Amino acid sequence: MNLAELNTETKLCGVIGYPLGHSLSPIMHKSAFNKLGLDYDYLIFEVHEQEFSSAFEDLKSKGFRGLNVTMPYKLEIMEYLDNIEASTRDIGAVNTIVNDDGVLTGYNTDGFGALEALRSNGVDFKNLKGKILIMGAGGAARAIAITLTKLGAEIIIANRTFQSGETLVNTLKNIGTSEAIKIAEISENIDEVELVINCTSVGMHGGPEGSLLPEELIRNDMIVFDIVYSPKNTPLLTVAEKCGAKVIYGYEMLVHQGARAFELWTGETAPLEVMRQAVLGELG
Ligand code: ATR
């Protein structure tokens, strides 16, 4: 991509990360810009680690309006920013940047995206009787666990590396109730769980195969949410649906976190349905 070719009137947004071949963000955001007739563009900046610093400084000097930041730069990017929004500081990772005349502010829209995916699928936290089982303790799990704990949810973190689960629970201690367990201990705790959220890469296209939640542990009164969006029907969601559980697809979180970024950049209400259809068109 040659930045010099860009019309200077066009506001530049994009995603920076590595690798980025599979990103659905360009089609999602471009559809939204087109729908609202906004003179914005959304590009992919696939940048190797050795080039990250110079590539980011170059982008900044060209005056981008907004960026999504993805793996592996969600932590590193924080040292390049002027401000970090308060709740994002608690999460400790940035996935969205807004550039206001050279002043860069970092946000994390993952927790918001997950929350809206749940709410728009009828999950009302006030009426949730059981606990929430979060599988995973990486960046996305952290953002989602902090967001849901702040709302009063009781969380169980099950992670392959138990110690990372414990570290997350230590962070959550200041805001609510949570405990860390091993993946093998899910069966002993599942009776009190009403909502399961997979925040690991298990089941992702090109990632580890299968599901961390055995079929015999899924009940038809459960809600099962997989933040993996490709494939749309992950092994976890396929089995959960077969068991009669309510399923929530990962693309819902992608769309809602994208909508939040869109609104931060443009100040306009995001055309959610346009964004959802753009993503679904790619996922099939
Ligand atoms: P993200 O930013 O998307 O959350 P991440 O921070 O790399 O990505 O986190 C990936 C999560 O998937 C972690 O919880 C990881 O578990 P570990 O902490 O043990 O690494 C989990 N994960 C990845 N591959 C896994 C596998 N094969 N089995 C179980 N968990 C796995």
Side-chain angles (χ1 to χ4, degrees):
M1 203 279 320
N2 184 358
L3 286 178
E5 288 169 6
L6 274 175
N7 170 352
T8 50
E9 296 297 306
T10 305
K11 292 205 169 99
L12 175 63
C13 295
V15 55
I16 189 163
Y18 189 90
L20 283 176
H22 62 285
S23 179
L24 296 180
S25 295
I27 192 157
M28 178 171 75
H29 283 291
K30 283 184 185 194
S31 309
F33 295 146
N34 283 343
K35 175 70 183 175
L36 270 59
L38 301 173
D39 189 7
Y40 279 66
D41 203 354
Y42 191 102
L43 303 173
I44 282 189
F45 303 104
E46 192 169 39
V47 172
H48 285 279
E49 291 205 42
Q50 310 88 287
E51 295 156 8
F52 179 74
S53 185
S54 58
F56 186 73
E57 293 300 344
D58 186 39
L59 258 175
K60 191 179 166 188
S61 71
K62 300 283 191 314
F64 69 84
R65 170 59 181 153
L67 276 187
N68 287 129
V69 183
T70 187
M71 285 202 320
Y73 304 125
K74 288 182 177 182
L75 303 183
E76 185 181 344
I77 193 69
M78 295 173 81
E79 64 194 71
Y80 294 83
L81 306 178
D82 302 296
N83 304 309
I84 310 277
E85 184 243 353
S87 66
T88 300
R89 210 172 297 130
D90 296 339
I91 293 166
V94 161
N95 74 345
T96 302
I97 303 172
V98 179
N99 182 355
D100 289 308
D101 298 323
V103 179
L104 305 185
T105 304
Y107 298 82
N108 190 309
T109 65
D110 279 341
F112 173 87
L115 186 59
E116 287 305 304
L118 290 163
R119 277 187 179 149
S120 62
N121 280 277
V123 178
D124 178 356
F125 287 91
K126 282 192 275 329
N127 294 335
L128 217 55
K129 291 175 207 74
K131 294 186 181 177
I132 300 177
L133 170 65
I134 292 184
M135 301 191 290
R142 199 177 159 81
I144 293 170
I146 289 175
T147 303
L148 299 184
T149 305
K150 279 182 179 168
L151 289 173
E154 274 190 62
I155 310 264
I156 301 173
I157 306 284
N159 196 47
R160 175 179 62 178
T161 310
F162 178 67
Q163 217 172 355
S164 313
E166 270 191 323
T167 304
L168 175 49
V169 162
N170 267 333
T171 308
L172 297 174
K173 262 193 192 120
N174 301 324
I175 42 181
T177 312
S178 63
E179 64 177 305
I181 62 169
K182 297 182 176 133
I183 298 279
E185 292 169 342
I186 292 178
S187 59
E188 297 156 35
N189 290 274
I190 200 73
D191 287 353
E192 51 188 2
V193 171
E194 189 173 354
L195 166 62
V196 179
I197 310 178
N198 176 46
C199 298
T200 74
S201 48
V202 177
M204 184 190 288
H205 199 79
E209 286 177 10
S211 157
L212 293 173
L213 190 66
E215 180 171 347
E216 61 272 18
L217 301 186
I218 304 178
R219 306 183 310 267
N220 64 4
D221 62 346
M222 271 181 178
I223 305 157
V224 179
F225 174 25
D226 198 337
I227 73 162
V228 171
Y229 61 79
S230 179
K232 182 179 145 210
N233 291 298
T234 60
L236 171 62
L237 293 184
T238 303
V239 170
E241 194 156 38
K242 191 175 123 199
C243 294
K246 177 181 176 65
V247 304
I248 301 175
Y249 292 96
Y251 72 78
E252 288 286 347
M253 173 168 155
L254 174 72
V255 167
H256 283 285
Q257 63 83 25
R260 173 90 179 111
F262 179 94
E263 293 182 355
L264 287 168
W265 299 331
T266 67
E268 304 281 345
T269 301
L272 265 177
E273 197 47 38
V274 168
M275 296 172 85
R276 185 179 284 116
Q277 290 311 322
V279 164
L280 280 174
E282 294 296 303
L283 291 174

